[in-house]
Amino acid sequence: MKSSDELPFHIPQCSSRASRCVFVWRGAGQHLMLYAAVLASMLTTACGGGSGGAAAPSNPVTIAIAPSSASAVVGGATVPFTATVRNATNTVVAWQVSGVDGGSSTTGTISAGGLYTSPATLPSSATVTITAVSQADATKSASARVTLTTPPAVAVTVTPSTASVTVSTTQPLSATVTNDPSSAGVTWSVSGTGCTGSECGTLSATSGATITYTAPTTVPAPPGITVVATSKADATAKGAAALTITAAALPVTVAVNPQIVAVTTSQRSVFAATVSGTGNTAVSWSVDGVDGGNATAGTIDGSGHYTPPSAGGTHTITATSQADPTKNGTAVVAVTDLTGIVTHHVDVARTGHNPKEYALTPARLATPGAFGKIFSCAVDGQIYAQPLYVANVAIAGATHNVLIVATEHDSVYAFDADSSGCTQYWKTSFLGAGITPVSPADTGETGDLVPEIGVTGTPVIDVGRGTIYVVAKTQESGGYFQRLHALDLGTGSEKFGGPTVIQATSTGSGVGGNTFDALRENQRSALLMLNNVVYIAWASHGDKPPYHGWIVGYDADTLQRTTMFNVTPNGEQGGIWMAGGGPAADASGNVYVMTGNGTFDTSATVPPVAPNDDFGESFLRLATAGGLLVADFFTPGNQSTLNINDWDLGSGAPVVLPDTMGSTAHPHLLVGGDKQGYLYLVDRDNMGRYAGSGADANVQTVQVLASTPCVLCGFFDTPAVLGDRIYVAAITDTLRAYQITNATMTAAGSATDLTLEVPGAVPVVSSQAGTNGVVWVVDASMNGTNGAALGPAVLRAYDASSLGTAVYRSDAKLADQAGDAVKFVPPVVANGKVYVAGRSSVTVYGFAP
């Protein structure tokens, strides 16, 4: 039983059909009147009340939320929501986030007024639900969705992002930062892979939206520099500018390559121009200031192809910039009309002077790196014969310059004189089945020519006939032969029914007989072509008797013998070897030789009368009009001493001097040196003959060496001539110059710093018509014979006007080293190149291509 304060009552459901409601009261108490009043009110409401009609139904509570969806970034972003409650006097709502009243730190929070605040970090579900629940009717609610996102990253952009900056100049840079609510700005830095510190350049400030970069004074290597702007708010946010440091802008320049070109009149060459400082690299070409050139200077087309003129000379090639016509580059082309070096020591006078060498000047040779070894070509034996050079040869279907090389292995080669690939047009061998070179042991010689003897004397070339004349020595089935071969210059094939076996006999009672001995006779001296006759001279192998000095002439067209001369027909020896030099000739057709040890008849006269017709240790002038006859001679008064001591007069070779050196009394001169170290100046018209115990009747004798003469002393050379000077290179002495004017020889006060050992050197001279003279020698002291060491030949060049300093030497750097040396062979200078013979190769020097 409840207390009076808890009086229960029941209110039955009212049917819509009921006209009244019946209340059943249980219990009574002091509040009966209060309950009655309440009940009356309730009955009025529940049962329709009014004037007795049916009650109208009520509208349900509804809620609307706005916005229905939204997005927000995490980290405290806010979104305001509003809730609209209808059909209720109580419009208050309760707010939830993902079902949690007021939300949470994980999904975000919402205030009583509907302001949503995003969480600090993105929840597992990026979408949260915002719910408004009616306080008037808790069953009524409305929801909205909020999509959460992370805030955008801070970004930095540098402007410009790339630029080229010249050294020591500036470049402004600016940084733009986005998504940085703090507006903290940036810091700046500079770096490069090829520099450190200020070498990379400097910055005007380390912070700020805009700074200025200053490039370094030199270009780093590599030239790339990076300037970085880093966000202060987010150190991972960076922007960069890639800068390329460039050298200071250069003026337009033009360079022409090659800088120096040597060509013959038939050779074409190509020049290239390199233009810098402008994008327009086009040039205009000229020769000697004439656009496109002309017939006198040569012509050049728009592509730099140069065609030389028909005459020799030096010309300037100019390339002028079309972008800036005030800028140009130049090169030099040296055109030679030299036919060739077709005989020993350049010409039949044996002057050793090539006056048509326009490229090789002292100044160009002295330029570091300009001149040096450009290639070498291997051959099958030692090269004791001087190589020969012929320009503009029709060969192999075109026109080429050709180098002829003969070896002791009885071979003759034709090489392209300009080809670094050693193009070989032909090779002719005189060997065959049962035919070999001669062994030095068979001759009894003591090591002068080793290890075999084949072609020793320098051949001669007749350009008009297109023929090379060469003597080869062979052993065949126990016999020994020397043959004169005439080879076609273009093919190497035999011509004129050749070869011809060399044979000769003379009258008299000479020691060992007066029949030519192919084994004993050493064809050491060079061949001479004179008036359609090929003259060949002989000496001995190491003075091994019996032998005689011989000269035999052969018709150049038939190879038939036309004349012969025995130096000692009633004696012995008298060899003509002259250290490989050749018989010299003058304009009148006279032939000059110097003989070595051998019989001399002190009562010899002109014309000689047998048996007093032996001419050892003598200068001889041989007339050729009626066959070889002694027309005059000079024999020193100490001939007997020379002969006894093996101090050959004919260790050197004679040179027919230009008439400009003569005098009224002695207009025609001859010069030569001997083993004593004397130079003899001889009048060719009145040689002086033999004075016996009186003073020698030659024009002048000059003692060059003060030392005591010996077997391997003195001159083993042929003097070279330039202007009024001769150049000689004695053993144990320097290269010297002597002036000859008015038939008088004096020291020219010019000598090199080079001391030449055995065998001295054979100088040659190149010049431009007598100017810019260069004296060339090969130091062959390491020739490997007679106990000498074996090593490279050394090419040296001297200014002909001042021998004190070499303008070139091949031993200055390893790359210029020549092949191993052979003695007595002079260099060949032609068309801007120098050819040096060796034991198994020929080395070629010239200007770098």
Side-chain angles (χ1 to χ4, degrees), residues 43-45 47-55:
L43 286 172
T44 300
T45 300
C47 297
S51 58

Side-chain angles (χ1 to χ4, degrees), residues 176-273:
T176 301
V177 183
T178 55
N179 305 321
D180 177 12
S182 67
S183 300
V186 297
T187 59
W188 295 87
S189 62
V190 60
S191 63
T193 59
C195 58
T196 57
S198 61
E199 295 174 347
C200 300
T202 58
L203 301 174
S204 60
T206 57
S207 63
T210 301
I211 57 104
T212 298
Y213 168 78
T214 301
T217 58
T218 59
V219 177
I225 296 296
T226 302
V227 178
V228 176
T230 302
S231 169
K232 292 181 179 180
D234 182 357
T236 64
K238 300 176 184 290
L243 306 181
T244 301
I245 309 305
T246 61
L250 298 175
V252 174
T253 61
V254 183
V256 179
N257 283 300
Q259 277 288 285
I260 174 72
V261 172
V263 295
T264 63
T265 55
S266 69
Q267 286 182 297
R268 309 296 185 264
S269 56
V270 180
F271 293 91

Side-chain angles (χ1 to χ4, degrees), residues 264 338-342 388-393 400-404 415 417 461 463 468 489 830:
T264 63
L338 175 72
T339 301
I341 306 294
V342 297
L388 300 174
Y389 169 92
V390 187
N392 310 320
V393 178
H400 301 278
N401 303 319
V402 176
L403 186 72
I404 301 298
F415 289 110
I461 298 175
V463 175
I468 307 163
L489 182 58

Side-chain angles (χ1 to χ4, degrees), residues 71 682 703 742:
S71 62
V682 178
Q703 184 177 11
N742 201 29

Side-chain angles (χ1 to χ4, degrees), residues 245-610:
I245 309 305
T246 61
L250 298 175
V252 174
T253 61
V254 183
V256 179
N257 283 300
Q259 277 288 285
I260 174 72
V261 172
V263 295
T264 63
T265 55
S266 69
Q267 286 182 297
R268 309 296 185 264
S269 56
V270 180
F271 293 91
T274 301
V275 181
S276 303
T278 176
N280 181 0
T281 60
V283 297
S284 300
W285 293 95
S286 63
V287 185
D288 292 348
V290 179
D291 290 344
N294 55 31
T296 301
T299 59
I300 192 166
D301 65 16
S303 299
H305 291 77
Y306 174 77
T307 301
S310 59
T314 302
H315 305 284
T316 301
I317 305 295
T318 302
T320 301
S321 168
Q322 292 186 7
D324 183 353
T326 66
K327 302 299 189 296
N328 60 60
T330 61
V332 172
V333 58
V335 182
T336 180
D337 51 359
L338 175 72
T339 301
I341 306 294
V342 297
T343 192
H344 185 273
H345 225 230
V346 181
D347 51 39
V348 296
R350 311 301 184 187
T351 65
H353 178 206
N354 171 11
K356 295 186 175 185
E357 178 46 60
Y358 296 94
L360 300 173
T361 66
R364 293 187 187 119
L365 292 167
T367 302
F371 180 85
K373 177 181 175 180
I374 52 177
F375 63 94
S376 65
C377 298
V379 294
D380 61 10
Q382 297 188 61
I383 309 170
Y384 274 89
Q386 176 197 293
L388 300 174
Y389 169 92
V390 187
N392 310 320
V393 178
I395 191 170
T399 300
H400 301 278
N401 303 319
V402 176
L403 186 72
I404 301 298
V405 180
T407 74
E408 294 290 352
H409 196 64
D410 278 320
S411 295
V412 179
Y413 293 80
F415 289 110
D416 189 306
D418 305 307
S419 170
S420 60
C422 295
T423 301
Q424 180 180 303
Y425 293 118
W426 52 260
K427 173 188 176 183
T428 296
S429 174
F430 304 128
L431 306 179
I435 304 174
T436 65
V438 175
S439 168
D442 293 356
T443 69
E445 68 121 69
T446 57
D448 288 331
L449 297 170
V450 290
E452 57 188 1
I453 302 171
V455 178
T456 306
T458 299
V460 66
I461 298 175
D462 188 302
V463 175
R465 290 181 170 85
T467 305
I468 307 163
Y469 298 90
V470 57
V471 174
K473 188 167 186 170
T474 57
Q475 179 179 1
E476 304 171 27
S477 302
Y480 302 93
F481 296 86
Q482 293 192 41
R483 292 182 173 88
L484 173 62
H485 298 264
L487 303 181
D488 185 275
L489 182 58
T491 65
S493 58
E494 295 278 0
K495 297 179 67 174
F496 308 136
T500 292
V501 175
I502 294 173
Q503 297 175 323
T505 59
S506 67
T507 60
S509 56
V511 176
N514 287 343
T515 299
F516 178 85
D517 187 331
L519 172 62
R520 297 292 180 187
E521 297 296 334
N522 179 8
Q523 205 288 289
R524 185 65 189 90
S525 57
L527 277 60
L528 169 68
M529 169 69 78
L530 182 67
N531 297 329
N532 301 317
V533 176
V534 180
Y535 292 98
I536 311 166
W538 284 266
S540 70
H541 290 282
D543 281 336
K544 299 300 180 181
Y547 71 92
H548 299 275
W550 286 92
I551 303 178
V552 181
Y554 288 87
D555 185 282
D557 292 317
T558 66
L559 303 188
Q560 298 301 303
R561 189 180 65 211
T562 61
T563 186
M564 67 186 78
F565 173 76
N566 186 339
V567 173
T568 53
N570 290 291
E572 61 179 339
Q573 303 181 0
I576 304 169
W577 73 285
M578 303 187 299
D586 64 18
S588 299
N590 295 300
V591 174
Y592 299 86
V593 296
M594 294 169 66
T595 64
N597 303 326
T599 305
F600 174 72
D601 295 310
T602 58
S603 58
T605 60
V606 176
V609 178

Side-chain angles (χ1 to χ4, degrees), residues 64-150:
I65 192 168
S68 60
S69 64
S71 62
V73 296
V74 296
T78 61
V79 180
F81 288 92
T82 59
T84 302
V85 180
R86 293 183 178 88
N87 303 324
T89 59
N90 183 1
T91 60
V92 178
V93 295
W95 294 94
Q96 298 176 346
V97 180
S98 296
V100 177
D101 291 342
S104 68
S105 61
T106 302
T107 59
T109 61
I110 193 165
S111 68
L115 182 65
Y116 172 76
T117 301
S118 66
T121 59
L122 192 69
S124 59
S125 174
T127 302
V128 298
T129 302
I130 305 298
T131 304
V133 180
S134 172
Q135 290 189 2
D137 183 350
T139 65
K140 304 302 183 185
S141 64
S143 296
R145 297 167 64 88
V146 177
T147 301
L148 297 174
T149 60
T150 55

